[in-house]
Structure formats: C-alpha cells, structure tokens
Amino acid sequence: MKRVSHSEAWTGLADCRHCTIRKTVLFAGLEEADFDRIHRPIDQLTYPPGTDLYNQDDPAKSILTIRTGLVKLTHFLPDGTQRIVRLLCTTDVVGLEAMVTPRYEHTATALHPTQVCRISVDIVKELARNQPKLCEDLMDRWHRALNDADRCITEFCTGPARSRVARLLIWLCERNQNKHCELFGREDLGALLGLTTETVSRIMAEFKRQGQIVEPKPNLLQCDLASLQQIVQ
C-alpha cells in the first residue's frame, strides 16, 4: 500500500459551522457554544486511492468522518491472512473503536479519492460528557456499524457468486442514493466477496452482456436495480 503522511494529506482546517454535510455527520447536534469548547483544530485530510488512513494496531488517537470517498476496513490475522470486513462511505465514521480501545482494530484504506475530517478522540470524549445528544449519536453510529458488519457477512460472503456481486452493486447504489455507483479494483472486490478475481471479472462481464449494468466510464456503473434485485431473490 502507498503511505501518505499526515503532513502530505493535510489540506486545511475543517469549518464545521459551514460544513455542507454537517446535518448528517457525527457532530450534527452540536450548537455554536460547543464549537467554542474545541481548543484543538479539526483537520481536513485528503487521501488518494490505495493509501492508508491508519493501520491495524496503530495507536487509536483520532476519529475520522468521511466527507467524500470510499474506505475499506481490512483485518489481518497473525499468519498474514487478510479480509475486507466492511466498506465505509460519505458521512460514515472511521475508527470508532478509539473511544474504547487504545489501538485501531483494522487497517483503513481509501478505495476512491477520499476526504475526511479528523478529530482527536480526547475532544470527542470531552464533548460527549457535556452533550447527551452526541452520546446518542455515537450509539447510533455503533449500531449502524454493527448492521453494516452483519450485512457484509450475510449478504456479501454467502450464497451464489452472482448474488454476492449483485448485492454489493445494490448496496453501493443505495449508499449513493441513485442507480449509479463507482466501483474499485477487482482484487478488492474479490477479497470483500470471498471470490477470486477471475470470478468477479467473469460475472461483471456477464452483467454487462445482459444489460444489468452499463459502464460509461471505467469503474463507473449505471445499474438496472430491478434486474439485479431479481438475481438476489
């Protein structure tokens, strides 16, 4: 993987008061006075595809909110085996475990050009002590993360290969709130779905021939969701 230092990724200080996605992110419930309690800046960082936001077992010092992009969480076993366990996209929070554990439990890697806002976990804990709404939002984020993990296990890792690929395309379109989605490398697709790269490529080619997906630009897909839904039923 490419490595990007924080100094290379840093693009400026986040302007939370005027954030265009503020109503949907972790700090949606903060009032003006709450921002005055933040003495350290919230950094805005940009990562190109293939770069790590942090690595498994790194000290968990920050929580990151995705402004744009797509991030994979990979878990590594002692024998070197790895598995993509979850995908995160716009408005999702990366590194929530920093609230309760001293080290990150996964490696977070950008799959698309990704912009995040990074805030110290100490600040989040301080705000949570004085802001009940933030505690509720944190619990909601935990619940959403658990649901996504369950969905990854039950929908992306079980059943026929064609169904797994179709479910992933549907999920990506849902998160994009339309019939378009932006894919990523076939190797990562296989690692997420528990399939070989060749199998994924064959199924994607089959979907194109049958008109279930159209690829106007590389990795940018327009999906026939009704047709894909028939595959997974």
Side-chain angles (χ1 to χ4, degrees):
M1 290 294 178
K2 305 175 191 174
R3 296 301 301 276
V4 173
S5 67
H6 290 314
S7 60
E8 292 174 309
W10 188 80
T11 58
L13 302 183
D15 183 2
C16 298
R17 288 184 174 90
H18 303 101
C19 176
T20 56
I21 62 171
R22 178 180 161 188
K23 292 183 178 180
T24 58
V25 297
L26 178 61
F27 303 110
L30 294 186
E31 304 294 339
E32 292 296 314
D34 297 309
F35 288 105
D36 295 333
R37 298 193 182 101
I38 301 176
H39 303 297
R40 278 174 286 178
I42 297 176
D43 295 324
Q44 188 170 300
L45 309 168
T46 301
Y47 294 90
T51 57
D52 295 336
L53 285 65
Y54 57 75
N55 287 274
Q56 184 174 323
D57 293 327
D58 280 353
K61 297 180 179 179
S62 302
I63 290 176
L64 306 98
T65 295
I66 301 175
R67 291 178 54 81
T68 59
L70 185 70
V71 172
K72 67 175 180 178
L73 296 184
T74 306
H75 186 72
F76 293 85
L77 297 177
D79 64 359
T81 304
Q82 57 178 290
R83 186 64 183 268
I84 299 175
V85 298
R86 201 156 75 248
L87 297 178
L88 301 168
C89 58
T90 301
T91 74
D92 284 336
V93 178
V94 190
L96 268 175
E97 66 267 30
M99 293 293 294
V100 293
T101 62
R103 296 189 177 277
Y104 291 116
E105 297 175 344
H106 311 95
T107 293
T109 307
L111 291 175
H112 298 159
T114 297
Q115 188 177 88
V116 303
C117 290
R118 183 185 65 192
I119 184 169
S120 166
V121 68
D122 293 335
I123 293 177
V124 179
K125 289 180 178 179
E126 178 184 346
L127 289 170
R129 284 192 291 268
N130 299 292
Q131 252 289 357
K133 182 62 169 63
L134 181 56
C135 290
E136 294 177 9
D137 289 343
L138 283 168
M139 292 300 295
D140 182 66
R141 300 283 169 168
W142 277 114
H143 184 249
R144 186 189 304 179
L146 285 172
N147 281 341
D148 286 344
D150 287 346
R151 187 170 185 180
C152 187
I153 293 171
T154 57
E155 296 190 16
F156 301 160
C157 301
T158 59
R162 293 177 76 251
S163 295
R164 299 187 198 185
V165 176
R167 287 174 185 142
L168 176 60
L169 295 177
I170 293 169
W171 183 87
L172 289 170
C173 288
E174 286 176 355
R175 299 306 292 264
N176 202 35
Q177 297 183 341
N178 57 38
K179 296 182 179 181
H180 293 79
C181 67
E182 186 176 357
L183 272 188
F184 39 93
R186 298 294 191 265
E187 185 175 345
D188 280 327
L189 283 172
L192 175 65
L193 299 171
L195 303 171
T196 65
T197 304
E198 293 76 15
T199 297
V200 172
S201 297
R202 175 178 56 78
I203 292 172
M204 293 295 293
E206 177 186 332
F207 284 177
K208 288 179 185 178
R209 287 195 302 270
Q210 296 176 348
Q212 288 148 337
I213 60 174
V214 177
E215 190 172 19
K217 294 193 296 185
N219 284 336
L220 181 64
L221 303 182
Q222 182 175 354
C223 300
D224 183 343
L225 294 179
S227 180
L228 293 175
Q229 287 285 3
Q230 291 180 354
I231 295 174
V232 304
Q233 288 178 352

